[in-house]
């Protein structure tokens, strides 16, 4: 029988001071650097939970809500929100803090789907998730909703015929121009 694990057993927090070398041309911390940190904590969280090596399968909803400044302390918090058979959804929250004033900003919330692997690269089963609070149940359902919405969206995209006259006419509502040879 597969063993179980709690959400709290997956929780990880990391903090890092943002340096000038992490900045982009506008003097803010580069989004790619923050994504790298988020991928690292997602790996650590999923691996800690599953006891296996994990790889990133997808990244959902990366919204940069507030810029991060040089000299701020960035803290990332991660936990497993959902488990499938071999995959896990890791929720990540990114907060920046001005260490001189103590002012904190929510900079990002994101969801990484991680897959557990064995030493040969084959998918392996992950432990069942023990939900211990209503907040954990809400996060599980939120993940389930995002997964189902993504599947439905893919199905609609597969069935949509973008070559129909109606589809081409609909594009007049957007900032595009259709070449005459396509009409």
């Amino acid at each position: 029988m597969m063993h179980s694990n709690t959400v709290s057993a997956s929780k990880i927090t990391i903090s890092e001071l943002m340096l000038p070398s992490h900045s982009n041309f506008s003097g803010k911390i580069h989004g790619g650097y923050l994504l790298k940190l988020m991928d690292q904590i997602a790996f650590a969280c999923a691996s800690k939970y599953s006891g296996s090596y994990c790889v990133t399968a997808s990244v959902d909803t990366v919204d940069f809500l507030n810029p991060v400044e040089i000299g701020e302390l960035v803290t990332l918090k991660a936990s497993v929100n959902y488990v499938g058979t071999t995959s896990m959804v890791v929720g990540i929250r990114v907060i920046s803090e001005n260490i001189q004033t103590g002012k904190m900003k929510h900079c990002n919330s994101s969801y990484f789907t991680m897959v557990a692997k064995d030493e040969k690269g084959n998918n392996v089963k992950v432990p069942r998730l023990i939900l211990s609070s209503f907040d954990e149940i809400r996060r599980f359902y939120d993940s389930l909703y995002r997964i189902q919405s993504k599947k439905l969206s893919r199905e609609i995209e597969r069935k949509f015929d973008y070559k129909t006259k109606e589809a081409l006419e609909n594009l007049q509502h957007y900032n595009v121009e259709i070449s005459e040879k396509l009409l």
Side-chain angles (χ1 to χ4, degrees):
M1 186 172 116
M2 190 68 183
H3 67 286
S4 301
N5 215 343
T6 62
V7 172
S8 60
S10 75
K11 289 186 176 183
I12 292 191
T13 301
I14 61 171
S15 295
E16 185 172 329
L17 185 64
M18 295 295 103
L19 304 174
S21 61
H22 303 140
S23 67
N24 59 25
F25 294 112
S26 67
K28 308 295 182 195
I29 299 307
H30 196 283
Y33 186 74
L34 293 173
L35 281 169
K36 175 185 165 195
L37 293 176
M38 290 163 46
D39 192 51
Q40 287 174 357
I41 198 169
F43 166 81
C45 178
S47 296
K48 180 181 177 188
Y49 175 83
S50 67
S52 301
Y53 177 77
C54 294
V55 296
T56 306
S58 70
V59 180
D60 293 334
T61 11
V62 180
D63 294 323
F64 294 97
L65 306 173
N66 288 294
V68 178
E69 307 290 336
I70 295 169
E72 289 184 331
L73 184 66
V74 167
T75 299
L76 296 92
K77 295 181 177 192
S79 66
V80 170
N81 291 352
Y82 169 90
V83 297
T85 306
T86 63
S87 66
M88 298 149 280
V89 173
V90 175
I92 302 168
R93 184 174 177 90
V94 181
I95 305 284
S96 70
E97 178 183 3
N98 179 314
I99 55 177
Q100 293 163 330
T101 67
K103 183 179 179 199
M104 300 179 94
K105 298 181 290 191
H106 176 208
C107 299
N108 189 305
S109 289
S110 189
Y111 306 94
F112 280 56
T113 300
M114 308 297 289
V115 177
K117 300 283 187 176
D118 65 15
E119 59 281 343
K120 295 179 183 173
N122 299 312
N123 292 0
V124 295
K125 289 188 174 186
V126 297
R128 291 171 51 94
L129 185 61
I130 299 170
L131 302 173
S132 305
S133 72
F134 286 113
D135 202 36
E136 292 173 1
I137 291 170
R138 178 188 55 80
R139 287 182 178 137
F140 185 90
Y141 272 118
D142 286 349
S143 295
L144 195 57
Y145 175 76
R146 278 192 304 280
I147 291 165
Q148 290 172 343
S149 294
K150 196 171 8 176
K151 285 179 183 175
L152 180 61
S153 180
R154 272 192 236 124
E155 188 60 32
I156 290 169
E157 286 172 16
R158 267 195 292 276
K159 291 179 180 179
F160 179 70
D161 185 357
Y162 58 89
K163 294 180 182 180
T164 65
K165 182 180 179 189
E166 181 184 17
L168 293 172
E169 286 174 354
N170 186 49
L171 290 174
Q172 72 181 339
H173 303 291
Y174 300 93
N175 191 23
V176 297
E177 188 174 316
I178 305 300
S179 171
E180 286 295 322
K181 68 180 182 181
L182 297 175
L183 298 175

